[in-house]
Amino acid sequence: MKDIAIVGGGPAGSLCGERLASHGYNVTIYDEHLAWEKPCGGGLTHKAIAAYPFLLDGSQPKRIVRTAELISGNGHRARFDMSHPIVIYARKVLNGLLLDRATAAGCTTVRTRVTSVATDRDRVRLTAGSEERASDFVVVAAGARNQLLPETTALTARDLEVTLGYFVPTEEDILKVKFLKEFEGYLWSFPRADHLSVGICAKMGQSPTQQLRRHLDEFVSEENIPMNGAQFYSHVLPSPQAQTIRGRRIVGKNWAMAGDAAACVDPITGEGLYYALRSGELLAQALIEGQLQSYPERLRAAFSADLEFAASIAKKIFRGTFLGGAITTRMVQLLNCSPTFRDLIRDVFSGSQDYRTLKQRLFSQVGTTVLEFARSFFGAGPAAIRSQRREIQS
Ligand SMILES: Cc1cc2nc3c(=O)[nH]c(=O)nc-3n(C[C@H](O)[C@H](O)[C@H](O)COP(=O)(O)OP(=O)(O)OC[C@H]3O[C@@H](n4cnc5c(N)ncnc54)[C@H](O)[C@@H]3O)c2cc1C
């Protein structure tokens, strides 16, 4: 296997291509836009920066954000410093940086749309623009919405989120996230080098687009974001169900998928950049070591077991209640009154706390959190504290 075609030159395709080309493969990356402003927040958490330090070290414009603010559905606010900063890029800059690295490693990039992929013969055949191309293997890293491979299923509405937003030419230093009542999704404002990415994401089919647009415009107005020159965008984002993460086919004899195409996205936060990069890298490693079929296990060991757990609790987090109020509201309140809980959320937001150990951490510090919460809300009476502790444990 020598010639590899990669459909999609986003983070997953570029990093996969870079790694393969550095090991002597002939890699061609096909992308209909190459470096472009893909609708995205552009936020890279600590795990991405720790794994790929060039994302922080390079001279490309980016914003390093240290402070976040959470806003609950009924307007409570909590501001905190994250334990590690989030690095926010414009996607045109990030994609350009990754594609440049892929080209420097030896990849050929072709700006064209791939309209078909056939994997049923020895060599893979692709229709790229008006040309027919052949390769030994194809990596599909073409994002959430593609049906290029008949050997697997496309992501359905249950595995997707709708996103709408604006790129706003203004400056800000704080990252904001706002929850809405009984709503699976959230609003965000991510400051970038010279503009903000403001948006809303919601489970597909949950709310009509006009309603999402209304929530978005209300948020923009509440946060006093000046909208002169703002550009509207919309896009889909995977929000995979647990069974999709566990069971969907992402590899065949002469094909594999990475990034959003393989549904490698956190179903709670929508973080996908780190998982796109890491899946591209793990796929390249599996190919280089001649162990393609081990790719899903490698993903599982690296992160997909954690994402599966996240998928099983996502609905509860957005729609669940605790002490008579929405979990997201209680989370904002706890942030303000419990230093122990604040430390935990600082780690969650900066991407240094995974979901499975989060559960253990929450349990191990439940006593302290309840004590701090109860002191702040109910006074320090022992009966009130015992009752809160019982509720948290159940
Ligand atoms: C609104 C929004 C906000 C987000 N915010 C964040 C965030 O702040 N942090 C974070 O970590 N993640 C975020 N994400 C998720 C993140 O954008 C994705 O997970 C990430 O881009 C996935 O990378 P990828 O390489 O798999 O796919 P993509 O980045 O989607 O790249 C796919 C590439 O394939 C190309 N392509 C598609 N079809 C074809 C074709 N037929 N032929 C040729 N080329 C094709 C496209 O042009 C594109 O360049 C957000 C997503 C959205 C929609």
Side-chain angles (χ1 to χ4, degrees):
M1 189 188 298
K2 202 67 190 142
D3 297 327
I4 312 246
I6 300 185
V7 187
S14 302
L15 194 75
C16 184
E18 180 200 320
R19 296 292 197 258
L20 289 168
S22 326
H23 279 78
Y25 290 82
N26 298 327
V27 182
T28 307
I29 298 178
Y30 300 93
D31 194 298
E32 57 185 328
H33 307 293
L34 290 176
W36 66 297
E37 196 51 64
K38 191 218 147 178
C40 185
L44 290 158
T45 58
H46 176 65
K47 40 185 189 295
I49 301 302
Y52 309 106
F54 64 83
L55 293 169
L56 184 62
D57 300 341
S59 59
Q60 290 77 10
K62 53 192 158 295
R63 190 169 285 260
I64 297 170
V65 178
R66 294 192 160 78
T67 308
E69 184 169 76
L70 294 193
I71 308 163
S72 71
N74 47 12
H76 291 100
R77 286 173 188 259
R79 195 173 278 200
F80 58 96
D81 286 337
M82 289 172 286
S83 44
H84 301 276
I86 290 195
V87 178
I88 309 187
Y89 275 90
R91 282 298 301 270
K92 190 169 183 178
V93 175
L94 178 65
N95 284 24
L97 156 66
L98 294 165
L99 281 165
D100 285 350
R101 289 174 60 91
T103 314
C107 294
T108 303
T109 55
V110 182
R111 183 176 181 165
T112 191
R113 180 171 175 76
V114 172
T115 48
S116 76
V117 175
T119 51
D120 53 346
R121 299 204 196 140
D122 277 355
R123 296 210 88 206
V124 177
R125 286 155 301 132
L126 292 94
T127 311
S130 56
E131 290 182 33
E132 294 295 315
R133 304 277 187 112
S135 66
D136 298 316
F137 191 87
V138 63
V139 173
V140 174
R145 267 262 159 103
N146 78 81
Q147 301 190 349
L148 289 169
L149 289 164
E151 292 177 63
T152 186
T153 47
L155 293 172
T156 64
R158 292 169 145 248
D159 294 307
L160 293 170
E161 281 187 357
V162 184
T163 65
L164 313 175
Y166 297 105
F167 295 125
V168 187
T170 185
E171 300 224 359
E172 172 62 276
D173 289 320
I174 295 170
L175 175 157
K176 293 182 182 174
V177 169
K178 178 172 182 184
F179 302 106
L180 295 169
K181 287 179 191 161
E182 300 195 2
F183 184 89
E184 272 175 79
Y186 60 89
L187 292 136
W188 74 85
S189 162
F190 274 25
R192 292 170 162 190
D194 60 359
H195 66 278
L196 290 184
S197 172
V198 186
I200 184 166
C201 57
K203 208 73 189 158
M204 195 171 267
Q206 172 185 233
S207 319
T209 314
Q210 301 93 306
Q211 195 180 330
L212 297 181
R213 188 83 186 245
R214 245 192 336 270
H215 286 311
L216 177 62
D217 290 338
E218 275 166 23
F219 177 63
V220 160
S221 138
E222 281 160 16
E223 300 309 309
N224 294 318
I225 298 172
M227 293 298 282
N228 286 347
Q231 273 182 292
F232 180 74
Y233 63 74
S234 75
H235 208 77
V236 291
L237 171 70
S239 172
Q241 305 173 92
Q243 68 258 37
T244 305
I245 299 172
R246 194 171 47 246
R248 183 165 169 257
R249 199 169 170 215
I250 55 165
V251 63
K253 173 173 68 78
N254 49 7
W255 63 269
M257 300 196 293
D260 277 15
C264 296
V265 177
D266 182 325
I268 297 176
T269 62
E271 176 180 9
L273 292 170
Y274 166 71
Y275 302 108
L277 292 163
R278 190 81 179 106
S279 60
E281 182 179 36
L282 289 170
L283 173 55
Q285 276 169 10
L287 279 164
I288 291 161
E289 291 165 23
Q291 294 180 353
L292 175 65
Q293 298 306 325
S294 70
Y295 169 55
E297 284 153 41
R298 291 175 192 229
L299 283 190
R300 197 159 183 80
F303 60 75
S304 67
D306 201 52
L307 296 187
E308 190 182 322
F309 177 70
S312 72
I313 59 169
K315 197 169 184 161
K316 266 186 226 149
I317 291 193
F318 288 116
R319 288 186 178 269
T321 58
F322 170 60
L323 299 176
I327 285 184
T328 47
T329 301
R330 295 293 181 236
M331 188 165 90
V332 175
Q333 290 169 330
L334 276 173
L335 258 164
N336 279 328
C337 63
S338 163
T340 311
F341 187 75
R342 192 176 315 127
D343 282 347
L344 180 141
I345 293 294
R346 289 170 72 222
D347 289 348
V348 169
F349 268 73
S350 59
S352 55
Q353 169 66 61
D354 65 28
Y355 290 108
R356 284 172 306 167
T357 55
L358 171 69
K359 188 173 151 191
Q360 288 146 17
R361 188 168 161 189
L362 266 168
F363 276 118
S364 70
Q365 64 187 41
V366 73
T368 323
T369 306
V370 167
L371 199 65
E372 289 164 349
F373 182 65
R375 268 198 193 122
S376 167
F377 272 82
F378 306 99
I385 294 172
R386 270 200 305 277
S387 125
Q388 302 319 311
R389 179 179 294 163
R390 269 199 304 276
E391 185 143 7
I392 288 178
Q393 279 166 338
S394 70

